[in-house]
Amino acid sequence: MAADGAFEPIRTERLILRPPVLSDADAAYERRSLPEVGRYQDWEMPYTRANAEESTAKAAAIDRISESGWNITVVDAAAPERILGDVYAELRWGGRVGYIGYTFHPDHWGRGYATEASQALIRHLFTVCGVGRIESSLDPENPSSARVLEACGLVCEGWTRESFWVGDECSDDMFYGMLRADWDVWGNRPRSRPERVELVPLTADNQQAVGGLATHHSQQRLVTPMLGNLRDALAPPRRDGAVVVPWYRAIEADGTIAGFLLATESTDAHPNPLLWRLLIDRLHQRRGIGSAVLELFEAHCRSEGAQAIEMTWGEGPGSPAPLYLARSYEPTGKIIDGEVHAIKRLA
């Protein structure tokens, strides 16, 4: 931030976040007029060149983040003439809260640019603007946007029904937030592969940590939350006409509770153990823990004399399928409760 409070460009590894200028209108029109871009945004379609010129002129007349809101242009650091998109910043509650948003051209989706730019903007809002909280909102039907916020450390705090209007179109609205203390925890979370991963029984000493395990909200369509896991462990359902016998363990990574495994015992009714649920806490994902857990569970099943392990997984963005396919879990062609059924032979 310049001495007079004006915004100075922010540089990241691949990007530059700079104040907008009038010539940015062409790129703004090009991306914002696309149906796939406007689908989940707060402007009415069709988005015209006049709309782009008006909004760009308004933004170019501002030189700092304020309660009026501001669209900051994001360009490629290696080619600053190439505009990738923009990020939105707004101060609320007298500068105590920062609100963020982002819009990128589809040609640049899936490369981590929105996450990288948002992380830089969040850092600026916390460390330079001095806010105590960051928040954002999105359409619940936009999981890609949710994953951007989650990668920045924000958590889903609520969902309101039919509460967001754009013209005559209405949708639900999902709210994400993060406090400065949350940001510190997220930034200091362990990133490296743990030296030791263990499957340990649930005890009076670790039950609270196990109960507090949570994935990102966008993953809940693929991974059952802990309440459901504990419910099924305590009151197991029937499978193929017979009640399953649960086998469950907490996952420890270097002595810290990092996840939960729920499986079934091998019985006469169910000779193949079922790898039922595998949850890795959001603070411990991308550390190689899941693969280590599968190796431990497979060794346990072999020691019990099992010949194969069965499991199911959900398809779609964020699916754990690559993890299981890499460990030779082979789809059988069956679909059970909407999920892919797979088996791994242990013999």
Side-chain angles (χ1 to χ4, degrees):
M1 185 81 67
D4 63 357
F7 182 87
E8 292 187 333
I10 300 172
R11 291 179 174 268
T12 70
E13 182 179 353
R14 299 180 296 169
L15 308 172
I16 301 174
L17 283 63
R18 62 157 174 79
V21 295
L22 292 176
S23 59
D24 293 346
D26 289 340
Y29 169 68
E30 181 183 350
R31 66 178 178 276
R32 292 186 173 219
S33 61
L34 296 173
E36 61 267 41
V37 173
R39 180 181 179 188
Y40 297 118
Q41 297 290 354
D42 62 355
W43 56 79
E44 294 188 59
M45 299 293 282
Y47 188 84
T48 66
R49 185 173 296 277
N51 293 144
E53 291 173 350
E54 180 182 355
S55 62
T56 302
K58 180 179 177 181
I62 304 171
D63 65 354
R64 69 199 69 206
I65 300 171
S66 71
E67 294 190 3
S68 299
W70 197 31
N71 288 97
I72 303 167
T73 300
V74 179
V75 301
D76 186 339
E81 72 283 354
R82 188 163 71 117
I83 297 175
L84 308 180
D86 62 77
V87 289
Y88 177 80
E90 178 184 327
L91 298 181
R92 297 178 171 180
W93 296 102
R96 298 175 178 88
V97 174
Y99 182 91
I100 66 167
Y102 33 83
T103 305
F104 283 75
H105 193 285
D107 288 349
H108 309 303
W109 289 357
R111 302 183 185 183
Y113 291 141
T115 298
E116 187 173 333
S118 297
Q119 288 172 335
L121 181 58
I122 288 169
R123 175 179 293 277
H124 181 88
L125 287 166
F126 274 134
T127 62
V128 178
C129 297
V131 304
R133 169 181 166 83
I134 302 289
E135 56 192 24
S136 189
S137 63
L138 52 85
D139 189 312
E141 298 298 319
N142 190 3
S144 296
S145 184
R147 287 196 294 273
V148 170
L149 295 178
E150 291 165 352
C152 294
L154 281 76
V155 297
C156 180
E157 296 180 332
W159 181 324
T160 56
R161 296 174 298 168
E162 296 186 9
S163 57
F164 189 84
W165 291 85
V166 178
D168 294 328
E169 299 293 326
C170 182
S171 69
D172 293 354
D173 208 11
M174 185 179 292
F175 298 92
Y176 275 77
M178 175 171 57
L179 302 180
R180 172 61 191 260
D182 301 330
W183 183 63
D184 291 336
V185 170
W186 182 253
N188 292 321
R189 72 191 187 281
R191 312 288 182 92
S192 61
R193 183 178 294 271
E195 295 182 4
R196 187 180 76 259
V197 176
E198 297 178 282
L199 301 179
V200 301
L202 270 66
T203 67
D205 292 330
N206 66 22
Q207 64 174 336
Q208 186 171 359
V210 172
L213 294 167
T215 62
H216 294 295
H217 188 273
S218 67
Q219 297 171 327
Q220 290 184 7
R221 62 187 179 83
L222 300 167
V223 182
T224 301
M226 281 307 302
L227 179 61
N229 290 329
L230 296 175
R231 174 201 62 207
D232 289 336
L234 293 173
R238 292 180 179 273
R239 179 180 174 224
D240 298 330
V243 175
V244 301
V245 179
W247 185 87
Y248 50 92
R249 292 292 187 272
I251 300 167
E252 271 193 5
D254 291 338
T256 298
I257 297 297
F260 181 77
L261 171 73
L262 174 60
T264 67
E265 298 274 15
S266 177
T267 65
D268 290 341
H270 307 113
N272 292 334
L274 174 69
L275 178 53
W276 195 357
R277 309 272 172 73
L278 175 57
L279 182 153
I280 305 299
D281 187 80
R282 58 187 284 273
L283 293 176
H284 295 278
Q285 295 180 11
R286 300 182 180 275
R287 299 181 62 203
I289 295 175
S291 182
V293 168
L294 291 179
E295 186 173 345
L296 291 171
F297 178 66
E298 291 159 12
H300 164 77
C301 292
R302 287 191 179 94
S303 71
E304 296 292 314
Q307 299 299 304
I309 298 172
E310 296 184 47
M311 68 167 307
T312 63
W313 65 68
E315 294 281 54
S319 170
L323 169 66
Y324 297 121
L325 292 171
R327 291 199 61 84
S328 301
Y329 287 82
E330 300 178 359
T332 63
K334 298 179 182 178
I335 301 297
I336 299 178
D337 295 331
E339 295 190 336
V340 174
H341 176 263
I343 191 167
K344 177 169 182 173
R345 306 291 178 183
L346 299 179

